[in-house]
Amino acid sequence: MHDGLSRRYTPHKARDPLTVLPPEIAEMVIAHLDFRQIVSLTRVSAQWQQYLKSMPGLWTKLDFSAARKMIPKSAIQKYLNLSKCNATEVVINRFVALQDRFLPHFARACRPLETLRIESGSLNESLIKAVSVLDNLQTLVLSRDCETTLDCASQVLDHCPTLIRAEFHHICFPVNAHRPSWPASMLKLQTLKLHLEEDRGGFTMLSIDPLLERLPDIRELSLVNWASSTTVPSRGKVEMGQLQKLDLVNYHGPIFPQSLPSLRSLAWKSYPEIFRSSQGLIPQSDRRKFGLVEFSAPHSCSMDVDTLLQLLGPDVECLRHLDISHCRGLGFTDLTKIVSMGYIDLVLDLDLSGTEATDQIIELLVPRAQQLTRVRLAATNITGISVKALIGKPDNKLVHLDIRDCCNVSSDAIAFARKIVGLTIQCGPTSIKYGKKLRYE
């Protein structure tokens, strides 16, 4: 019956694509699929299974992150054999990594490995043993559900000098633990993320200078839940001329703007008490001589306008992304000053959610900010006049507008916005039916 239905509903000229396409073309097409999809294809038929297993190039990226139970070592070894032990990228979770001596054995069997991602588990000694034999490892990512110690992180960096990208998203640091000794040099490392688990007792002190001295080619640095007791690094001692992106979350300590001439993206999400005063944060002698392209400091409640302007730098034409949402320390006058000085003139993505933005601010902003494509004004005091002003101009480039929790925006303004082709609007219910009229000349 099944064969009869197949013949009936299958087109007369239907043919198996793997028998029609040249092997090189078939491999190029299948290579666009992920690991799980390729494994599913092996179940189509015995012919497909044999065909796919004969192509080692399809098995160089092994992803076991979706496993929900222990995977037998024999199954993992099978996929390694299919790649002829030439896998270049492997993603595993706790159901694979926590097997007895699995990680060191896997590393010895797969020396060409370039990328290792561990989604979950608790690894220390096994991880150190594994990376010490991986001579080509360039990317190591330990996700938030993969716990490790600070000492393990420092030893991994020491035993694997080939790393270009290292991310540790869940570092635990016991109270009585010794401070880590960083490797003598990390010449190739370009991206480093050290995310410490949040400590209810406060911050964990990290000596910045010894770490930065060993990162001559660092391009992206991310520190979460750290505090530094050191002063601003001296210009002759720490040179980080390649650093382009700096991400500081709940980081307590001074920053070093003048010794980072290439910095273009700064994200600073801090506890409210960290932004105490601009004079304490950035010394008078360390004025920035360049501008940022991206700046993000959400929920920095105590940041004043002087600190913000010092961080942005004097070059107002560089800024393309600005996020100062929920910065309660910036009042109406401060926002007016930022707009009037031209910092938003060329911004593409602007987030003023939770600030004291009003119709007067938007009225000042609209004729100046001609490049805006995404604007977030959630939980502000704007009315429908601001909405119509932002989207009503003929040369409007806006594609996204967020006005959630804006209680003064009328329903007719929302209806007007929804008629704009290509505009995505986020809004909530409003009790105001009609707003003020706005005329355009």
Side-chain angles (χ1 to χ4, degrees), residues 173-367:
F173 189 75
V175 177
N176 298 324
H178 298 287
R179 301 297 173 188
S181 57
W182 301 107
S185 180
M186 294 172 275
L187 297 176
K188 295 185 177 182
L189 199 61
Q190 297 182 6
T191 299
L192 177 61
K193 297 184 180 182
L194 299 174
H195 296 185
L196 187 74
E197 65 177 351
E198 189 172 356
D199 185 5
R200 295 181 180 179
F203 298 90
T204 296
M205 301 303 294
L206 173 69
S207 185
I208 292 294
D209 279 3
L211 175 61
L212 300 185
E213 289 172 4
R214 294 159 170 79
L215 300 170
D217 198 34
I218 192 70
R219 310 293 176 88
E220 181 179 351
L221 179 62
S222 177
L223 301 174
V224 176
N225 295 326
W226 291 101
S228 173
S229 58
T230 58
T231 57
V232 178
S234 59
R235 192 172 300 103
K237 188 176 181 182
V238 177
E239 293 292 342
M240 301 181 67
Q242 303 296 326
L243 187 64
Q244 299 177 5
K245 184 175 182 180
L246 181 61
D247 188 2
L248 303 174
V249 179
N250 298 339
Y251 173 82
H252 188 109
I255 62 172
F256 19 90
Q258 197 173 24
S259 55
L260 304 177
S262 61
L263 188 65
R264 291 298 176 264
S265 176
L266 175 61
W268 189 302
K269 185 177 181 181
S270 312
Y271 287 136
E273 62 268 19
I274 292 180
F275 278 110
R276 292 164 295 182
S277 68
S278 59
Q279 297 301 323
L281 182 67
I282 306 176
Q284 187 70 23
S285 60
D286 269 339
R287 291 292 184 257
R288 291 175 57 88
K289 295 180 173 59
F290 56 91
L292 290 171
V293 176
E294 298 181 9
F295 179 77
S296 177
H299 298 277
S300 299
C301 301
S302 300
M303 180 176 63
D304 55 29
V305 66
D306 293 332
T307 300
L308 176 61
L309 296 180
Q310 290 179 27
L311 291 171
L312 293 177
D315 192 351
V316 299
E317 297 183 356
C318 291
L319 198 62
R320 297 294 182 272
H321 173 91
L322 179 61
D323 181 359
I324 50 176
S325 58
H326 303 282
C327 291
R328 300 296 182 182
L330 300 176
F332 174 83
T333 304
D334 300 329
L335 295 177
T336 303
K337 182 177 181 180
I338 295 169
V339 175
S340 301
M341 293 180 66
Y343 280 99
I344 305 181
D345 287 5
L346 298 177
V347 167
L348 303 176
D349 193 331
L350 177 64
D351 193 342
L352 297 178
S353 301
T355 63
E356 295 190 16
T358 61
D359 288 342
Q360 290 82 358
I361 298 292
I362 303 303
E363 183 180 0
L364 179 64
L365 180 147
V366 166

Side-chain angles (χ1 to χ4, degrees), residues 16-27 29-30 51 55:
D16 187 342
L18 297 186
T19 62
V20 177
L21 295 174
E24 298 82 3
I25 302 298
E27 186 173 1
V29 173
I30 299 174
Y51 187 89
M55 295 182 174

